[in-house]
């Protein structure tokens, strides 16, 4: 009986941990959108573009994000989280190196 109860407690704990991580992920996604929305006037002034052109930039950013979210889920299902994370780091690091550390 205690073994079954321990397994149930472990399952409940894992469920709450998963829920907490999902909430953290949603918070980060919302924070990302808010940071971009807040910086739009600065971007508009720096690029000296019209409000109409700025709306296209904002729309294209949101479309790219909406496409990336389910694509990431699909790739995670196919590749597993470990391989997707490894591939993302493998592609991201050389790109950052080329942009930031010009030799």
């Amino acid at each position: 009986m205690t073994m079954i109860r321990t397994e149930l407690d472990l399952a409940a704990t894992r469920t709450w941990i998963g829920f907490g991580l999902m909430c953290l992920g949603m918070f980060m996604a919302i924070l990302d959108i808010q940071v971009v929305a807040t910086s739009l006037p600065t971007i508009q002034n720096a690029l000296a573009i019209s409000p109409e052109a700025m709306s296209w930039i904002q729309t294209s950013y949101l479309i790219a994000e909406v496409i990336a979210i389910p694509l990431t889920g699909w790739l995670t299902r196919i590749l597993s989280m470990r391989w997707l994370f490894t591939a993302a780091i493998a592609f991201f690091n050389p790109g950052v190196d080329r942009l930031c550390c010009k030799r």
Side-chain angles (χ1 to χ4, degrees):
M1 182 74 174
T2 58
M3 187 170 169
I4 294 172
R5 182 154 179 96
T6 304
E7 289 176 8
L8 290 175
D9 290 341
L10 182 61
T13 302
R14 287 182 178 173
T15 300
W16 281 108
I17 289 172
F19 177 73
L21 291 174
M22 182 194 67
C23 289
L24 179 65
M26 292 301 297
F27 172 75
M28 293 302 290
I30 292 169
L31 183 65
D32 177 49
I33 291 170
Q34 291 301 316
V35 166
V36 170
T38 304
S39 64
L40 287 176
T42 305
I43 295 170
Q44 182 180 359
N45 291 336
L47 297 175
I49 57 176
S50 68
E52 293 81 20
M54 196 63 216
S55 69
W56 279 105
I57 291 173
Q58 183 178 13
T59 302
S60 62
Y61 171 78
L62 291 175
I63 288 172
E65 187 171 18
V66 166
I67 290 171
I69 291 171
L71 181 63
T72 303
W74 179 73
L75 287 172
T76 301
R77 188 177 303 155
I78 290 178
L79 299 175
S80 82
M81 181 64 78
R82 179 181 297 158
W83 287 110
L84 182 62
F85 181 74
T86 303
I89 294 298
F91 287 114
F92 181 75
N93 283 343
V96 170
D97 186 43
R98 276 189 226 113
L99 289 174
C100 296
C101 305
K102 294 182 181 178
R103 296 173 195 170

